[in-house]
Amino acid sequence: MMISKTSLALLCDFYEFTMSQGYWKNGKKDQICYFDIFFRKIPDCGSFAIFAGLEDVLDYIENLSFDKENIQFLRKQKIFSEEFLDFLSDFKFQGEIYAMHEGEVIFPNEPLLCVKAPAIQAQLLETFLLLSLNHQSLIATKANRIVRAAKQSKVLEFGSRRAQGSEAALKGSRASFIGGCSASACTLAGKIYNIPVNGTMAHSWVQMFENELEAFKAYAKIYPKNPIFLIDTYDCLKSGLKNAIKVFKELNIKDGGVRIDSGDLLNLSLKIRQELDKAKLHKCKIIASNSLDEHSIQNLKKQNAPIDVFGVGERLITASSDPIFSCVYKLVALEDQGVIKPKIKISENNEKSTVPHFKKLFRVYDKKTKKILFDELYIFDEKAIDDQKLERKELLELVYKEKRLLKKRSLHEIQNYAQEQIAKLDEKFLNLNEFIKFEVKLSPKLQALTHDLLKIRF
């Protein structure tokens, strides 16, 4: 069943509704709140992550309303007053959203997105914002790790059949492209997001014919431009490769390719390349798949495996090695008669304490090299410290106020932006095998405020 955009209003933890009615009954429905979304840990012990999912967040907020069916469902729970349900019937988000650009390089414990809104409006956004940003940032980050491991070789996203549901397949494909994948095997993702789509053939195609040679010929006659043959249905080297070469030669195909989906990918690819070159099929590409990830690809590249394209599925689309992105949604300030009062969450576990107040976030660059040096957090009305040797970029922009302010960008633009930001990182942050901590500084004023609030236990 396809879910309409208005039905997504109920894609929300139930306690958001019970708290919201509580705010209503306690006279807090118009209380202006500030919530930060930030994350605590980079997956796979990486040194940076990629911010993804913002477009879906803004679409959701723009269309957020409660239709009669939604209201009737809530009425059946028999705990909500008619006055509160009437309020939801006329619901429209009237707050402000501040966010980074989608595709931005991100680090733990700094705000990625800030919501300023009346209490009920802010509270009802929590679940959808977190699920969108957590999932797509996770997959974009994983995809980029795989793309970096592949170096000059292309990476295709092959994950739909292993995705945890249709929505995960589509959003995962979108996020994979932001992370740097060249194309997707998911046709619907190609239609919706204008992602290049790609595919080869399944073993079943080969099995449909009397023999492998006949199967390859039939395919190449229908698709003579750059046909890719899957050569490991029976015997990769003794049968599949030989038949593929016969067809390439017979039909004078120079730019085709072969795919291997099992076996020792290193030794097979070396022998395949040798035979293809011997047959003067130098432009013929080798595509490899079979439960790949950044570590297996990195190992293949280190040993000079002559693989031109990697098809990566289950370990990308599920981020199976570390499948949780840790974004949280925390109250950081309340506004009373125009005065913003900081709020803090204190925990015995220090990493779960929050940085209070409505804040500005700056990225600081070396003026000469244009490389990223560190990030700085300031209280919203503070001035950044001036330094002639440094450049600063404010990362949190007002992207929604009564309506979407941020112009929709194509996925290609977002992917390019991500690549540009990654190029500004020092090379040590690109190492897949070593965690390098990035410095996020607090202004002296924010440090002092945080220190003072941490003393408060009640």
Side-chain angles (χ1 to χ4, degrees):
M1 180 182 76
M2 294 298 289
I3 301 173
S4 70
K5 286 184 176 179
T6 52
S7 295
L8 287 174
L10 295 185
L11 184 50
C12 186
D13 289 299
F14 192 64
Y15 76 175
E16 311 291 7
F17 290 107
T18 57
M19 283 192 290
S20 293
Q21 179 169 252
Y23 295 146
W24 172 275
K25 293 197 170 190
N26 281 278
K28 292 183 180 291
K29 78 178 180 70
D30 296 320
Q31 170 73 67
I32 299 297
C33 303
Y34 295 78
F35 281 86
D36 280 354
I37 290 181
F38 61 93
F39 72 108
R40 294 188 173 117
K41 184 180 80 71
I42 301 166
D44 293 305
C45 296
S47 297
F48 69 92
I50 294 174
F51 182 53
L54 180 63
E55 287 282 1
D56 286 304
V57 162
L58 296 180
D59 282 346
Y60 168 78
I61 292 170
E62 208 166 28
N63 291 282
L64 182 55
S65 63
F66 295 86
D67 60 22
K68 288 180 180 178
E69 284 186 19
N70 290 336
I71 297 299
Q72 184 56 28
F73 176 81
L74 292 173
R75 183 177 286 117
K76 284 179 181 177
Q77 308 313 305
K78 297 183 178 178
I79 63 170
F80 299 113
S81 70
E82 285 302 315
E83 292 82 6
F84 177 65
L85 294 176
D86 286 344
F87 166 77
L88 290 181
S89 297
D90 296 326
F91 185 93
K92 179 167 175 55
F93 182 75
Q94 295 167 314
E96 298 173 4
I97 304 291
Y98 298 80
M100 294 185 176
H101 278 288
E102 195 163 12
E104 191 64 80
V105 170
I106 54 175
F107 302 95
N109 302 312
E110 57 183 24
L112 314 176
L113 181 147
C114 177
V115 176
K116 173 190 175 183
I120 294 174
Q121 295 182 35
Q123 200 71 65
L124 291 175
L125 298 185
E126 179 176 4
T127 305
F128 189 88
L129 268 59
L130 286 178
L131 74 87
S132 296
L133 301 181
N134 272 323
H135 177 238
Q136 293 194 49
S137 298
L138 174 71
I139 303 303
T141 302
K142 185 66 170 180
N144 188 256
R145 287 176 61 81
I146 292 168
V147 168
R148 280 185 281 137
K151 296 184 178 178
Q152 292 82 17
S153 300
K154 290 184 177 180
V155 176
L156 309 179
E157 180 270 307
F158 277 6
S160 294
R161 63 186 61 192
R162 297 285 191 268
Q164 290 155 332
S166 56
E167 188 80 355
L170 293 170
K171 302 306 181 186
S173 182
R174 178 185 189 276
S176 296
F177 192 75
I178 290 172
C181 288
S182 301
S184 173
C186 181
T187 311
L188 183 56
K191 178 191 173 192
I192 295 171
Y193 302 119
N194 194 29
I195 298 171
V197 289
N198 212 318
T200 57
M201 61 170 63
H203 293 112
S204 57
W205 172 271
V206 178
Q207 293 170 300
M208 285 284 186
F209 294 82
E210 284 298 314
N211 57 63
E212 204 170 41
L213 184 63
E214 187 184 328
F216 291 166
K217 276 185 184 177
Y219 192 86
K221 284 176 180 176
I222 300 168
Y223 308 108
K225 188 178 178 181
N226 193 28
I228 309 294
F229 301 145
L230 182 58
I231 61 173
D232 66 348
T233 304
Y234 304 119
D235 188 302
C236 184
L237 297 176
K238 291 179 182 177
S239 171
L241 179 60
K242 287 182 178 179
N243 285 321
I245 290 172
K246 277 182 188 176
V247 174
F248 289 142
K249 288 290 196 180
E250 189 176 315
L251 300 181
N252 196 30
I253 294 167
K254 304 288 186 185
D255 296 327
V258 296
R259 177 162 78 96
I260 46 177
D261 189 47
S262 58
D264 183 339
L265 297 182
L266 173 62
N267 287 323
L268 285 173
S269 63
L270 287 167
K271 288 172 182 174
I272 290 166
R273 184 75 269 159
Q274 187 178 34
E275 292 301 313
L276 289 172
D277 289 347
K278 196 187 290 183
K280 297 186 179 178
L281 293 166
H282 304 293
K283 292 183 180 178
C284 185
K285 291 181 170 56
I286 300 173
I287 296 94
S289 49
N290 188 26
S291 297
L292 296 168
D293 63 12
E294 67 268 40
H295 301 297
S296 53
I297 290 172
Q298 188 178 53
N299 190 44
L300 286 165
K301 296 298 285 187
K302 278 181 181 176
Q303 297 179 80
N304 298 315
I307 296 169
D308 303 286
V309 181
F310 293 97
V312 187
E314 61 190 46
R315 296 186 183 181
L316 166 55
I317 207 71
T318 64
S320 59
S321 57
D322 196 354
I324 298 170
F325 203 83
S326 56
C327 278
V328 292
Y329 189 78
K330 297 298 179 185
L331 181 71
V332 293
L334 297 176
E335 187 171 319
D336 185 18
Q337 296 182 336
V339 178
I340 301 175
K341 298 179 178 180
K343 290 287 181 177
I344 192 169
K345 178 192 175 293
I346 299 172
S347 173
E348 289 183 6
N349 185 347
N350 285 338
E351 69 177 24
K352 287 205 166 187
S353 295
T354 59
V355 180
H357 224 316
F358 181 37
K359 298 174 287 291
K360 293 188 288 192
L361 176 62
F362 290 93
R363 182 145 290 164
V364 182
Y365 304 83
D366 184 291
K367 218 167 198 175
K368 284 185 179 178
T369 66
K370 307 300 180 186
K371 291 289 186 180
I372 298 169
L373 298 175
F374 53 87
D375 287 356
E376 288 180 321
L377 278 168
Y378 288 81
I379 295 172
F380 75 99
D381 56 357
E382 278 190 277
K383 262 190 143 182
I385 300 166
D386 193 31
D387 189 322
Q388 296 300 315
K389 295 179 182 178
L390 305 176
E391 285 183 6
R392 281 179 174 80
K393 177 176 81 171
E394 193 162 356
L395 294 183
L396 295 171
E397 292 184 21
L398 181 62
V399 296
Y400 193 100
K401 184 176 182 178
E402 296 178 6
K403 62 179 181 178
R404 174 196 290 267
L405 301 176
L406 187 69
K407 181 186 171 187
K408 279 198 174 185
R409 294 186 299 161
S410 74
L411 215 53
H412 293 265
E413 289 174 310
I414 296 170
Q415 185 192 66
N416 289 338
Y417 182 80
Q419 290 170 350
E420 288 166 8
Q421 304 320 302
I422 291 166
K424 294 175 183 177
L425 286 168
D426 189 285
E427 278 195 18
K428 64 186 179 184
F429 291 98
L430 305 181
N431 189 331
L432 293 171
N433 306 309
E434 185 181 357
F435 168 70
I436 304 294
K437 187 173 182 180
F438 181 79
E439 190 174 14
V440 180
K441 297 183 177 182
L442 274 58
S443 72
K445 190 174 175 182
L446 186 54
Q447 279 186 57
L449 171 67
T450 304
H451 183 264
D452 289 344
L453 291 175
L454 282 172
K455 291 178 185 176
I456 302 168
R457 292 292 170 182
F458 302 100

